[in-house]
Amino acid sequence: MLDNESALTFFIKTMNPNLQAFLKRNAPYHRIPTDIDNFYEQEYKDYYSPPTFSSVSSIFRPPFRHILVYILGLLFVFTLLFVLFRGNEENSGTYNDLKSSKYEDTTVEEIQTNGIDFQNAEKEKENSNFTTPEMKLKAQTLAVAKPDAKLALDNYLKSIDPRETYPDDVNSVKPHHIRVIGAMGDSLTIGYCASHFIERINGPNPGNSFFTGIDEEIDGHLSIYNIFRVIAEETGNKLFGGSTGVGYGNNTGLNVAVGGMKSDDILRQAKDLVSRIKANKEINIEKDWKLVSLWIGTNDVGNLVFGSENPIPVKEYKAFIEEGLLYLKKNLPRTIVSIIGMFPPQLLQEAYYILRTGNRPGTPESRKQLDELCDSYRNASYEIQNEGKFDDREFTVVVQPFGTEYTDAFRNEFGNYSSALYAYDVFHLGKLGQAIVAKHYWQNLFEPVGEKTKRAELGNITPEIFGLSSGNSLIKTLGNSKK
Protein backbone atom coordinates (compact mmCIF):
# COMPACT_ATOMS: atom_id res chain seq x y z
CA MET A 1 0.00 0.00 0.00
CA LEU A 2 1.19 3.46 -0.83
CA ASP A 3 1.03 6.12 1.85
CA ASN A 4 -0.69 9.35 1.02
CA GLU A 5 2.52 11.19 0.08
CA SER A 6 3.71 8.36 -2.19
CA ALA A 7 0.31 8.15 -3.89
CA LEU A 8 0.36 11.89 -4.58
CA THR A 9 3.86 11.67 -6.00
CA PHE A 10 2.83 8.80 -8.30
CA PHE A 11 -0.24 10.68 -9.46
CA ILE A 12 1.75 13.78 -10.31
CA LYS A 13 4.37 11.83 -12.25
CA THR A 14 1.75 10.19 -14.41
CA MET A 15 -0.11 13.34 -15.30
CA ASN A 16 0.50 15.69 -18.22
CA PRO A 17 3.94 17.38 -17.98
CA ASN A 18 2.42 20.83 -18.32
CA LEU A 19 0.04 20.12 -15.47
CA GLN A 20 2.98 18.87 -13.41
CA ALA A 21 4.76 22.14 -13.99
CA PHE A 22 1.66 24.07 -12.94
CA LEU A 23 1.27 22.12 -9.70
CA LYS A 24 4.97 22.50 -8.93
CA ARG A 25 5.10 26.16 -9.87
CA ASN A 26 6.28 27.02 -6.36
CA ALA A 27 8.73 24.17 -6.12
CA PRO A 28 12.45 24.92 -6.22
CA TYR A 29 12.93 22.86 -9.36
CA HIS A 30 10.86 22.89 -12.54
CA ARG A 31 10.66 20.59 -15.58
CA ILE A 32 12.72 21.79 -18.54
CA PRO A 33 10.39 22.49 -21.49
CA THR A 34 10.71 20.03 -24.39
CA ASP A 35 10.78 20.83 -28.09
CA ILE A 36 7.13 19.96 -28.41
CA ASP A 37 6.30 22.51 -25.72
CA ASN A 38 8.17 25.18 -27.62
CA PHE A 39 6.33 24.23 -30.79
CA TYR A 40 2.88 24.49 -29.26
CA GLU A 41 3.76 27.72 -27.49
CA GLN A 42 4.84 29.28 -30.78
CA GLU A 43 1.75 27.91 -32.53
CA TYR A 44 -0.42 29.43 -29.86
CA LYS A 45 1.29 32.78 -30.17
CA ASP A 46 1.04 32.75 -33.96
CA TYR A 47 -2.68 32.23 -33.96
CA TYR A 48 -3.93 33.93 -30.84
CA SER A 49 -1.47 36.60 -29.78
CA PRO A 50 -2.59 40.19 -30.30
CA PRO A 51 -1.37 41.56 -33.62
CA THR A 52 1.98 43.30 -33.46
CA PHE A 53 2.33 43.99 -37.17
CA SER A 54 0.95 46.68 -39.38
CA SER A 55 -2.49 46.15 -40.94
CA VAL A 56 -0.90 45.41 -44.34
CA SER A 57 1.70 42.92 -43.22
CA SER A 58 -0.71 41.14 -40.86
CA ILE A 59 -2.47 39.49 -43.78
CA PHE A 60 0.58 37.27 -44.19
CA ARG A 61 0.21 35.81 -40.69
CA PRO A 62 -1.03 32.18 -40.58
CA PRO A 63 -4.79 32.71 -40.19
CA PHE A 64 -4.85 34.91 -43.30
CA ARG A 65 -2.02 33.25 -45.19
CA HIS A 66 -4.19 30.25 -46.16
CA ILE A 67 -6.99 32.48 -47.37
CA LEU A 68 -4.54 34.56 -49.42
CA VAL A 69 -3.05 31.44 -51.02
CA TYR A 70 -6.56 30.18 -51.81
CA ILE A 71 -7.53 33.46 -53.48
CA LEU A 72 -4.31 33.60 -55.51
CA GLY A 73 -4.86 30.00 -56.59
CA LEU A 74 -8.35 30.80 -57.85
CA LEU A 75 -7.05 33.82 -59.77
CA PHE A 76 -4.39 31.66 -61.40
CA VAL A 77 -6.92 28.99 -62.41
CA PHE A 78 -9.34 31.56 -63.87
CA THR A 79 -6.49 33.25 -65.77
CA LEU A 80 -5.34 29.91 -67.17
CA LEU A 81 -8.86 28.97 -68.28
CA PHE A 82 -9.32 32.35 -69.93
CA VAL A 83 -6.08 31.97 -71.90
CA LEU A 84 -6.85 28.41 -72.95
CA PHE A 85 -10.49 28.79 -73.91
CA ARG A 86 -10.91 32.32 -75.15
CA GLY A 87 -10.67 30.92 -78.69
CA ASN A 88 -8.88 32.13 -81.76
CA GLU A 89 -9.45 35.81 -82.32
CA GLU A 90 -7.51 36.07 -85.55
CA ASN A 91 -10.52 35.44 -87.76
CA SER A 92 -13.38 36.27 -85.45
CA GLY A 93 -13.96 39.37 -87.53
CA THR A 94 -13.48 37.71 -90.90
CA TYR A 95 -17.10 37.74 -91.87
CA ASN A 96 -17.68 41.06 -90.17
CA ASP A 97 -15.29 42.51 -92.74
CA LEU A 98 -17.92 41.68 -95.35
CA LYS A 99 -20.20 44.26 -93.78
CA SER A 100 -17.78 47.08 -94.40
CA SER A 101 -16.33 45.88 -97.70
CA LYS A 102 -17.53 47.90 -100.66
CA TYR A 103 -18.69 46.12 -103.75
CA GLU A 104 -18.40 48.22 -106.86
CA ASP A 105 -22.06 49.17 -106.96
CA THR A 106 -23.20 48.32 -103.43
CA THR A 107 -22.50 50.45 -100.38
CA VAL A 108 -23.11 49.58 -96.75
CA GLU A 109 -25.93 52.13 -96.67
CA GLU A 110 -27.62 50.41 -99.62
CA ILE A 111 -27.28 47.06 -97.92
CA GLN A 112 -29.01 48.43 -94.84
CA THR A 113 -31.68 50.05 -97.00
CA ASN A 114 -32.35 46.66 -98.59
CA GLY A 115 -33.32 45.39 -95.18
CA ILE A 116 -30.12 43.67 -94.05
CA ASP A 117 -29.66 43.97 -90.32
CA PHE A 118 -26.30 42.66 -89.20
CA GLN A 119 -27.55 42.37 -85.64
CA ASN A 120 -30.54 40.30 -86.74
CA ALA A 121 -29.18 37.06 -85.34
CA GLU A 122 -28.91 38.59 -81.89
CA LYS A 123 -32.42 40.05 -82.17
CA GLU A 124 -33.78 36.67 -83.18
CA LYS A 125 -32.14 35.19 -80.14
CA GLU A 126 -33.57 37.82 -77.81
CA ASN A 127 -37.07 37.99 -79.24
CA SER A 128 -37.74 34.34 -79.94
CA ASN A 129 -38.88 31.68 -77.54
CA PHE A 130 -37.52 29.10 -80.00
CA THR A 131 -40.95 27.81 -80.85
CA THR A 132 -40.90 28.44 -84.61
CA PRO A 133 -39.71 25.55 -86.81
CA GLU A 134 -36.77 27.62 -88.06
CA MET A 135 -35.55 28.50 -84.58
CA LYS A 136 -36.03 24.96 -83.32
CA LEU A 137 -33.89 23.78 -86.21
CA LYS A 138 -31.15 26.27 -85.34
CA ALA A 139 -31.15 25.11 -81.75
CA GLN A 140 -30.51 21.46 -82.54
CA THR A 141 -28.15 19.21 -84.47
CA LEU A 142 -28.37 16.14 -86.66
CA ALA A 143 -27.91 12.90 -84.74
CA VAL A 144 -28.44 9.26 -85.62
CA ALA A 145 -29.60 6.70 -83.09
CA LYS A 146 -26.85 4.14 -82.59
CA PRO A 147 -29.13 1.18 -83.44
CA ASP A 148 -30.05 2.91 -86.71
CA ALA A 149 -26.40 3.53 -87.51
CA LYS A 150 -25.55 -0.10 -86.83
CA LEU A 151 -28.45 -1.19 -89.03
CA ALA A 152 -27.12 0.92 -91.92
CA LEU A 153 -23.74 -0.75 -91.49
CA ASP A 154 -25.04 -4.22 -90.65
CA ASN A 155 -24.44 -5.96 -93.98
CA TYR A 156 -20.93 -4.60 -94.13
CA LEU A 157 -20.10 -5.46 -90.52
CA LYS A 158 -21.32 -9.02 -90.96
CA SER A 159 -19.12 -9.43 -94.03
CA ILE A 160 -15.91 -8.69 -92.12
CA ASP A 161 -13.73 -11.77 -91.80
CA PRO A 162 -11.90 -11.67 -88.45
CA ARG A 163 -9.12 -13.76 -90.02
CA GLU A 164 -8.52 -11.36 -92.89
CA THR A 165 -5.08 -9.99 -93.60
CA TYR A 166 -4.61 -6.31 -92.83
CA PRO A 167 -4.35 -4.63 -96.26
CA ASP A 168 -1.13 -3.20 -97.65
CA ASP A 169 -2.79 -1.59 -100.69
CA VAL A 170 -4.55 1.79 -100.47
CA ASN A 171 -7.18 0.56 -102.93
CA SER A 172 -8.26 -2.21 -100.54
CA VAL A 173 -8.94 -0.12 -97.45
CA LYS A 174 -12.34 -0.33 -95.75
CA PRO A 175 -13.62 1.67 -92.77
CA HIS A 176 -12.64 -0.95 -90.18
CA HIS A 177 -9.04 -0.75 -91.39
CA ILE A 178 -8.78 2.94 -90.49
CA ARG A 179 -7.01 3.52 -87.16
CA VAL A 180 -6.17 7.22 -87.40
CA ILE A 181 -8.37 10.16 -88.40
CA GLY A 182 -6.93 13.65 -88.91
CA ALA A 183 -7.93 16.95 -90.50
CA MET A 184 -6.34 20.05 -91.99
CA GLY A 185 -7.91 23.32 -93.10
CA ASP A 186 -9.36 26.56 -91.76
CA SER A 187 -12.17 27.69 -89.45
CA LEU A 188 -14.74 25.44 -91.16
CA THR A 189 -12.77 22.31 -90.27
CA ILE A 190 -11.84 23.31 -86.71
CA GLY A 191 -15.52 24.05 -86.06
CA TYR A 192 -15.41 27.81 -85.60
CA CYS A 193 -18.71 28.95 -84.07
CA ALA A 194 -19.97 25.35 -84.41
CA SER A 195 -22.28 25.51 -81.43
CA HIS A 196 -26.03 25.52 -81.01
CA PHE A 197 -27.49 28.80 -82.22
CA ILE A 198 -28.55 29.68 -78.68
CA GLU A 199 -25.04 29.08 -77.29
CA ARG A 200 -23.13 31.38 -79.64
CA ILE A 201 -19.60 30.16 -78.90
CA ASN A 202 -17.44 32.63 -80.80
CA GLY A 203 -14.34 30.56 -81.31
CA PRO A 204 -13.07 27.11 -82.27
CA ASN A 205 -15.40 24.30 -81.26
CA PRO A 206 -13.48 21.21 -82.41
CA GLY A 207 -15.69 18.95 -80.33
CA ASN A 208 -18.43 19.53 -82.92
CA SER A 209 -16.22 19.38 -86.03
CA PHE A 210 -17.80 17.50 -88.95
CA PHE A 211 -14.74 15.29 -89.29
CA THR A 212 -13.12 14.75 -85.89
CA GLY A 213 -15.71 15.94 -83.35
CA ILE A 214 -16.42 13.55 -80.47
CA ASP A 215 -17.96 15.71 -77.75
CA GLU A 216 -21.00 13.48 -78.15
CA GLU A 217 -21.49 10.08 -79.66
CA ILE A 218 -23.36 9.55 -82.91
CA ASP A 219 -26.74 9.66 -81.18
CA GLY A 220 -25.89 13.16 -79.94
CA HIS A 221 -24.09 14.63 -82.95
CA LEU A 222 -23.14 13.25 -86.34
CA SER A 223 -19.49 13.42 -87.38
CA ILE A 224 -17.27 11.29 -89.60
CA TYR A 225 -15.27 10.20 -86.56
CA ASN A 226 -18.42 9.14 -84.73
CA ILE A 227 -19.42 6.84 -87.60
CA PHE A 228 -15.97 5.28 -87.59
CA ARG A 229 -16.26 4.98 -83.81
CA VAL A 230 -19.40 2.84 -84.16
CA ILE A 231 -17.49 0.55 -86.52
CA ALA A 232 -14.48 0.43 -84.20
CA GLU A 233 -16.69 -0.53 -81.26
CA GLU A 234 -18.25 -3.37 -83.27
CA THR A 235 -14.89 -4.70 -84.48
CA GLY A 236 -12.91 -4.10 -81.30
CA ASN A 237 -10.39 -1.82 -82.98
CA LYS A 238 -8.81 1.31 -81.56
CA LEU A 239 -9.32 4.69 -83.18
CA PHE A 240 -7.23 7.84 -82.72
CA GLY A 241 -7.60 11.52 -83.59
CA GLY A 242 -10.92 12.71 -82.15
CA SER A 243 -11.28 16.34 -81.02
CA THR A 244 -13.18 17.71 -78.05
CA GLY A 245 -14.22 20.92 -76.31
CA VAL A 246 -13.50 24.47 -77.40
CA GLY A 247 -10.35 26.43 -78.20
CA TYR A 248 -6.96 25.29 -79.42
CA GLY A 249 -4.80 22.83 -77.51
CA ASN A 250 -4.41 19.12 -76.91
CA ASN A 251 -8.21 18.89 -77.05
CA THR A 252 -8.10 19.25 -80.85
CA GLY A 253 -6.62 15.76 -81.19
CA LEU A 254 -5.42 15.27 -84.76
CA ASN A 255 -7.43 18.19 -86.12
CA VAL A 256 -4.68 20.69 -86.93
CA ALA A 257 -6.88 23.19 -88.79
CA VAL A 258 -6.61 26.84 -87.78
CA GLY A 259 -9.17 29.57 -88.32
CA GLY A 260 -8.36 32.20 -90.94
CA MET A 261 -5.71 30.10 -92.68
CA LYS A 262 -5.15 29.83 -96.41
CA SER A 263 -3.49 27.28 -98.65
CA ASP A 264 -0.04 28.65 -97.80
CA ASP A 265 -0.45 27.19 -94.29
CA ILE A 266 -0.98 23.59 -95.41
CA LEU A 267 2.69 22.61 -95.22
CA ARG A 268 2.90 23.83 -91.63
CA GLN A 269 -0.27 21.92 -90.78
CA ALA A 270 1.10 18.78 -92.43
CA LYS A 271 4.20 18.99 -90.24
CA ASP A 272 2.04 19.55 -87.18
CA LEU A 273 -0.11 16.54 -88.02
CA VAL A 274 2.87 14.24 -88.51
CA SER A 275 4.39 15.47 -85.26
CA ARG A 276 1.22 14.76 -83.30
CA ILE A 277 0.86 11.28 -84.77
CA LYS A 278 4.48 10.43 -83.98
CA ALA A 279 3.98 11.63 -80.41
CA ASN A 280 1.23 9.05 -79.86
CA LYS A 281 3.05 5.84 -79.03
CA GLU A 282 -0.11 3.79 -79.49
CA ILE A 283 -0.13 4.60 -83.20
CA ASN A 284 1.98 2.45 -85.49
CA ILE A 285 2.85 5.11 -88.05
CA GLU A 286 4.23 2.55 -90.53
CA LYS A 287 1.37 0.04 -90.32
CA ASP A 288 -1.86 1.80 -89.32
CA TRP A 289 -4.08 3.18 -92.08
CA LYS A 290 -4.96 6.86 -91.78
CA LEU A 291 -7.72 9.04 -93.23
CA VAL A 292 -6.96 12.77 -93.43
CA SER A 293 -9.43 15.43 -94.53
CA LEU A 294 -8.26 18.63 -96.25
CA TRP A 295 -10.57 21.60 -96.84
CA ILE A 296 -8.97 24.90 -97.79
CA GLY A 297 -9.73 27.86 -100.06
CA THR A 298 -12.54 29.84 -98.45
CA ASN A 299 -10.10 32.52 -97.25
CA ASP A 300 -7.86 32.32 -100.33
CA VAL A 301 -10.33 34.41 -102.34
CA GLY A 302 -9.21 37.44 -100.32
CA ASN A 303 -10.70 40.82 -101.14
CA LEU A 304 -13.07 39.38 -103.73
CA VAL A 305 -15.30 38.73 -100.73
CA PHE A 306 -13.76 40.13 -97.57
CA GLY A 307 -10.48 41.44 -96.22
CA SER A 308 -7.90 43.58 -97.94
CA GLU A 309 -5.45 41.00 -99.28
CA ASN A 310 -5.36 39.97 -102.91
CA PRO A 311 -6.57 36.46 -103.77
CA ILE A 312 -4.00 33.69 -103.87
CA PRO A 313 -3.33 32.85 -107.55
CA VAL A 314 -4.51 29.42 -108.69
CA LYS A 315 -1.01 28.17 -109.49
CA GLU A 316 0.17 29.09 -106.01
CA TYR A 317 -2.94 27.56 -104.46
CA LYS A 318 -2.18 24.25 -106.16
CA ALA A 319 1.53 24.44 -105.37
CA PHE A 320 0.90 25.11 -101.68
CA ILE A 321 -1.39 22.08 -101.40
CA GLU A 322 1.04 19.86 -103.29
CA GLU A 323 3.83 20.96 -101.00
CA GLY A 324 1.84 19.80 -97.98
CA LEU A 325 0.82 16.55 -99.66
CA LEU A 326 4.40 15.76 -100.58
CA TYR A 327 5.44 16.14 -96.94
CA LEU A 328 2.63 13.83 -95.85
CA LYS A 329 3.56 11.22 -98.44
CA LYS A 330 7.19 11.19 -97.28
CA ASN A 331 6.37 11.08 -93.58
CA LEU A 332 2.94 9.46 -93.27
CA PRO A 333 2.73 6.09 -95.03
CA ARG A 334 -0.61 4.31 -95.42
CA THR A 335 -2.65 7.48 -95.77
CA ILE A 336 -5.72 8.50 -97.77
CA VAL A 337 -6.03 12.27 -98.12
CA SER A 338 -9.61 13.31 -98.78
CA ILE A 339 -9.96 16.82 -100.25
CA ILE A 340 -13.29 18.62 -100.05
CA GLY A 341 -13.88 20.35 -103.38
CA MET A 342 -14.24 24.12 -103.20
CA PHE A 343 -17.83 25.19 -102.52
CA PRO A 344 -19.42 27.90 -104.71
CA PRO A 345 -19.32 31.29 -102.94
CA GLN A 346 -23.12 31.46 -102.74
CA LEU A 347 -23.20 28.64 -100.19
CA LEU A 348 -20.83 30.26 -97.67
CA GLN A 349 -19.22 33.63 -98.37
CA GLU A 350 -22.32 35.21 -99.90
CA ALA A 351 -24.97 33.39 -97.87
CA TYR A 352 -25.76 36.29 -95.54
CA TYR A 353 -26.50 38.68 -98.38
CA ILE A 354 -28.51 36.13 -100.36
CA LEU A 355 -30.66 35.14 -97.38
CA ARG A 356 -31.47 38.79 -96.69
CA THR A 357 -32.06 40.01 -100.24
CA GLY A 358 -32.47 36.96 -102.45
CA ASN A 359 -29.65 38.25 -104.65
CA ARG A 360 -25.90 37.92 -104.83
CA PRO A 361 -23.78 40.94 -103.85
CA GLY A 362 -21.51 42.84 -106.20
CA THR A 363 -21.58 43.49 -109.92
CA PRO A 364 -21.85 40.94 -112.74
CA GLU A 365 -18.15 41.47 -113.37
CA SER A 366 -17.09 40.92 -109.74
CA ARG A 367 -19.34 37.87 -109.42
CA LYS A 368 -17.85 36.37 -112.56
CA GLN A 369 -14.34 36.94 -111.25
CA LEU A 370 -15.17 35.25 -107.94
CA ASP A 371 -16.93 32.31 -109.59
CA GLU A 372 -14.02 31.71 -111.95
CA LEU A 373 -11.53 31.75 -109.10
CA CYS A 374 -13.54 29.27 -107.02
CA ASP A 375 -13.95 27.02 -110.07
CA SER A 376 -10.22 27.19 -110.68
CA TYR A 377 -9.41 26.25 -107.08
CA ARG A 378 -11.76 23.29 -107.39
CA ASN A 379 -10.24 22.23 -110.71
CA ALA A 380 -6.78 22.41 -109.14
CA SER A 381 -7.92 19.82 -106.60
CA TYR A 382 -9.17 17.57 -109.38
CA GLU A 383 -5.86 17.96 -111.18
CA ILE A 384 -3.98 16.88 -108.07
CA GLN A 385 -6.22 13.80 -107.86
CA ASN A 386 -6.18 12.88 -111.56
CA GLU A 387 -2.49 13.50 -112.24
CA GLY A 388 -1.71 10.72 -109.79
CA LYS A 389 1.70 12.06 -108.82
CA PHE A 390 1.04 11.18 -105.17
CA ASP A 391 -0.46 7.75 -105.81
CA ASP A 392 1.27 4.53 -104.79
CA ARG A 393 0.31 1.44 -102.83
CA GLU A 394 0.38 3.33 -99.53
CA PHE A 395 -0.80 6.82 -100.38
CA THR A 396 -3.48 8.50 -102.46
CA VAL A 397 -5.52 11.69 -102.86
CA VAL A 398 -9.23 11.79 -103.66
CA VAL A 399 -11.66 14.72 -104.06
CA GLN A 400 -15.09 14.74 -102.38
CA PRO A 401 -17.35 17.11 -104.40
CA PHE A 402 -20.68 16.82 -102.54
CA GLY A 403 -21.18 20.61 -102.34
CA THR A 404 -19.39 21.78 -105.47
CA GLU A 405 -22.56 22.39 -107.54
CA TYR A 406 -24.68 23.87 -104.78
CA THR A 407 -24.81 27.32 -106.36
CA ASP A 408 -27.11 28.95 -103.84
CA ALA A 409 -27.42 29.74 -100.17
CA PHE A 410 -28.78 26.92 -98.02
CA ARG A 411 -32.35 25.87 -98.63
CA ASN A 412 -34.34 23.64 -96.30
CA GLU A 413 -36.23 20.48 -97.23
CA PHE A 414 -39.12 22.58 -98.54
CA GLY A 415 -36.87 24.55 -100.88
CA ASN A 416 -37.01 27.74 -98.85
CA TYR A 417 -34.01 29.82 -97.88
CA SER A 418 -32.89 29.02 -94.36
CA SER A 419 -30.08 30.06 -92.04
CA ALA A 420 -30.25 26.74 -90.16
CA LEU A 421 -27.03 25.49 -91.76
CA TYR A 422 -25.03 28.42 -90.45
CA ALA A 423 -23.69 29.75 -87.19
CA TYR A 424 -25.02 33.07 -85.90
CA ASP A 425 -22.71 34.96 -88.29
CA VAL A 426 -24.32 33.23 -91.30
CA PHE A 427 -20.91 32.36 -92.67
CA HIS A 428 -19.44 29.56 -90.57
CA LEU A 429 -21.25 26.28 -90.08
CA GLY A 430 -23.33 25.90 -86.95
CA LYS A 431 -23.51 22.62 -85.06
CA LEU A 432 -26.32 21.45 -87.33
CA GLY A 433 -24.35 22.55 -90.39
CA GLN A 434 -21.32 20.56 -89.29
CA ALA A 435 -23.49 17.45 -88.92
CA ILE A 436 -25.09 17.99 -92.34
CA VAL A 437 -21.64 18.20 -93.95
CA ALA A 438 -20.63 14.99 -92.16
CA LYS A 439 -23.70 13.16 -93.46
CA HIS A 440 -22.99 13.92 -97.12
CA TYR A 441 -19.22 13.65 -96.78
CA TRP A 442 -19.67 10.08 -95.53
CA GLN A 443 -21.69 9.16 -98.61
CA ASN A 444 -19.10 10.69 -100.96
CA LEU A 445 -16.37 8.52 -99.43
CA PHE A 446 -18.00 5.38 -100.86
CA GLU A 447 -19.05 6.70 -104.25
CA PRO A 448 -16.69 5.92 -107.16
CA VAL A 449 -14.50 8.68 -108.52
CA GLY A 450 -16.34 10.17 -111.49
CA GLU A 451 -19.73 9.19 -110.06
CA LYS A 452 -19.72 11.09 -106.80
CA THR A 453 -22.63 13.31 -105.79
CA LYS A 454 -21.84 16.96 -106.55
CA ARG A 455 -25.00 18.65 -105.34
CA ALA A 456 -26.02 16.94 -102.15
CA GLU A 457 -29.50 17.51 -100.76
CA LEU A 458 -28.21 19.51 -97.83
CA GLY A 459 -31.74 20.35 -96.75
CA ASN A 460 -32.44 16.67 -96.13
CA ILE A 461 -31.78 16.32 -92.40
CA THR A 462 -33.31 12.86 -92.03
CA PRO A 463 -31.39 11.21 -89.16
CA GLU A 464 -29.71 8.47 -91.16
CA ILE A 465 -26.37 7.65 -92.74
CA PHE A 466 -25.41 6.15 -96.08
CA GLY A 467 -25.54 2.37 -95.72
CA LEU A 468 -22.67 0.03 -96.57
CA SER A 469 -22.73 -3.56 -97.76
CA SER A 470 -20.27 -6.33 -98.44
CA GLY A 471 -20.15 -5.21 -102.08
CA ASN A 472 -19.79 -1.50 -101.36
CA SER A 473 -17.51 -0.86 -98.42
CA LEU A 474 -14.22 0.19 -99.97
CA ILE A 475 -13.17 3.80 -99.42
CA LYS A 476 -13.22 4.85 -103.05
CA THR A 477 -9.99 5.96 -104.70
CA LEU A 478 -8.99 6.67 -108.26
CA GLY A 479 -7.47 3.18 -108.34
CA ASN A 480 -10.39 1.09 -107.13
CA SER A 481 -12.99 3.18 -108.97
CA LYS A 482 -11.66 1.88 -112.29
CA LYS A 483 -12.37 -1.73 -111.40
Side-chain angles (χ1 to χ4, degrees):
M1 290 290 294
L2 295 174
D3 56 24
N4 292 339
E5 184 178 353
S6 298
L8 179 61
T9 302
F10 176 78
F11 176 75
I12 292 175
K13 287 183 177 181
T14 57
M15 67 176 58
N16 184 283
N18 291 324
L19 184 57
Q20 293 180 41
F22 176 79
L23 293 174
K24 293 183 178 182
R25 60 189 181 280
N26 296 321
Y29 301 102
H30 297 279
R31 181 178 69 84
I32 299 175
T34 63
D35 290 339
I36 193 67
D37 293 322
N38 294 332
F39 172 83
Y40 284 128
E41 180 181 11
Q42 185 61 42
E43 188 85 355
Y44 179 89
K45 289 180 178 179
D46 285 342
Y47 279 94
Y48 302 104
S49 297
T52 57
F53 303 100
S54 67
S55 58
V56 175
S57 60
S58 65
I59 64 173
F60 295 101
R61 295 175 58 224
F64 304 101
R65 186 185 306 141
H66 301 300
I67 298 175
L68 181 62
V69 170
Y70 180 73
I71 293 174
L72 291 176
L74 286 177
L75 288 174
F76 174 77
V77 170
F78 284 131
T79 302
L80 184 62
L81 290 175
F82 175 76
V83 172
L84 290 177
F85 297 110
R86 65 193 177 99
N88 176 34
E89 298 298 334
E90 65 184 270
N91 82 326
S92 61
T94 298
Y95 189 77
N96 289 331
D97 290 341
L98 178 59
K99 297 183 295 185
S100 58
S101 64
K102 294 184 178 179
Y103 296 93
E104 293 182 31
D105 65 347
T106 311
T107 65
V108 174
E109 290 73 23
E110 289 172 339
I111 292 175
Q112 294 171 341
T113 301
N114 287 334
I116 296 187
D117 180 1
F118 288 97
Q119 303 300 321
N120 191 61
E122 183 63 29
K123 289 181 179 180
E124 283 182 335
K125 179 182 175 184
E126 293 176 353
N127 299 331
S128 176
N129 58 6
F130 300 101
T131 57
T132 66
E134 179 74 2
M135 295 304 292
K136 283 183 178 180
L137 198 58
K138 289 181 179 180
Q140 68 179 17
T141 184
L142 174 61
V144 179
K146 190 171 289 188
D148 292 340
K150 291 180 180 179
L151 183 61
L153 303 169
D154 187 59
N155 290 333
Y156 154 63
L157 292 172
K158 288 180 178 178
S159 70
I160 297 174
D161 184 354
R163 298 166 298 177
E164 70 175 3
T165 302
Y166 196 63
D168 58 1
D169 184 351
V170 71
N171 299 310
S172 301
V173 176
K174 298 181 179 181
H176 68 282
H177 298 138
I178 297 295
R179 300 286 186 272
V180 181
I181 294 179
M184 303 188 296
D186 53 29
S187 56
L188 297 170
T189 297
I190 198 62
Y192 206 88
C193 299
S195 60
H196 285 309
F197 178 77
I198 56 177
E199 292 175 336
R200 275 198 61 164
I201 295 178
N202 183 25
N205 199 330
N208 289 334
S209 169
F210 67 87
F211 206 75
T212 59
I214 56 170
D215 266 359
E216 300 169 86
E217 294 195 30
I218 195 170
D219 51 7
H221 179 65
L222 181 61
S223 70
I224 296 295
Y225 194 102
N226 276 337
I227 303 176
F228 275 95
R229 181 155 62 168
V230 172
I231 296 171
E233 289 173 354
E234 292 297 303
T235 56
N237 296 322
K238 286 189 175 182
L239 196 61
F240 304 96
S243 55
T244 61
V246 298
Y248 294 105
N250 293 333
N251 60 296
T252 61
L254 296 180
N255 188 332
V256 298
V258 177
M261 292 299 101
K262 303 177 183 179
S263 55
D264 57 3
D265 190 57
I266 293 303
L267 176 59
R268 185 202 62 78
Q269 291 186 30
K271 292 179 179 179
D272 188 8
L273 179 61
V274 171
S275 176
R276 294 191 193 190
I277 291 176
K278 287 183 176 180
N280 190 331
K281 302 305 179 184
E282 292 189 78
I283 297 176
N284 187 329
I285 196 169
E286 297 294 332
K287 179 182 177 181
D288 292 339
W289 280 102
K290 311 156 195 74
L291 178 64
V292 177
S293 178
L294 170 58
W295 190 8
I296 200 73
T298 304
N299 297 309
D300 290 62
V301 298
N303 57 19
L304 289 182
V305 176
F306 42 66
S308 58
E309 297 182 358
N310 292 327
I312 290 184
V314 177
K315 288 185 178 180
E316 293 183 19
Y317 174 84
K318 182 181 178 182
F320 286 138
I321 293 177
E322 288 183 326
E323 194 176 20
L325 292 174
L326 182 60
Y327 184 87
L328 290 180
K329 183 176 181 180
K330 289 181 177 179
N331 295 277
L332 212 58
R334 297 197 170 185
T335 297
I336 298 173
V337 179
S338 177
I339 300 178
I340 295 181
M342 184 77 176
F343 284 4
Q346 297 96 312
L347 186 54
L348 292 176
Q349 295 103 318
E350 298 178 343
Y352 196 105
Y353 197 100
I354 293 174
L355 292 183
R356 293 297 183 260
T357 68
N359 301 307
R360 297 182 63 185
T363 65
E365 182 180 350
S366 65
R367 290 194 291 268
K368 179 181 178 182
Q369 187 178 3
L370 178 59
D371 290 342
E372 289 178 348
L373 183 62
C374 290
D375 290 344
S376 297
Y377 285 164
R378 187 181 313 118
N379 291 335
S381 299
Y382 280 124
E383 289 174 5
I384 293 173
Q385 169 192 268
N386 297 332
E387 288 169 356
K389 65 173 67 175
F390 298 101
D391 288 355
D392 60 25
R393 287 183 62 85
E394 293 194 336
F395 197 94
T396 194
V397 178
V398 60
V399 177
Q400 313 301 344
F402 58 91
T404 57
E405 293 186 1
Y406 202 100
T407 54
D408 204 350
F410 178 71
R411 290 180 181 269
N412 61 24
E413 59 185 322
F414 305 109
N416 301 321
Y417 280 132
S418 168
S419 61
L421 180 80
Y422 309 102
Y424 70 90
D425 61 0
V426 198
F427 169 63
H428 293 97
L429 298 171
K431 188 175 182 179
L432 175 62
Q434 292 279 336
I436 289 174
V437 166
K439 175 180 179 177
H440 298 285
Y441 196 151
W442 171 257
Q443 178 173 331
N444 252 183
L445 286 172
F446 303 98
E447 295 175 328
V449 174
E451 301 177 24
K452 292 180 180 290
T453 301
K454 294 183 179 181
R455 184 185 170 92
E457 295 181 14
L458 301 181
N460 178 5
I461 58 171
T462 306
E464 61 185 12
I465 59 173
F466 182 72
L468 302 183
S469 64
S470 58
N472 184 32
S473 56
L474 289 173
I475 297 177
K476 291 300 190 291
T477 65
L478 192 62
N480 63 32
S481 294
K482 298 176 181 178
K483 297 178 181 179

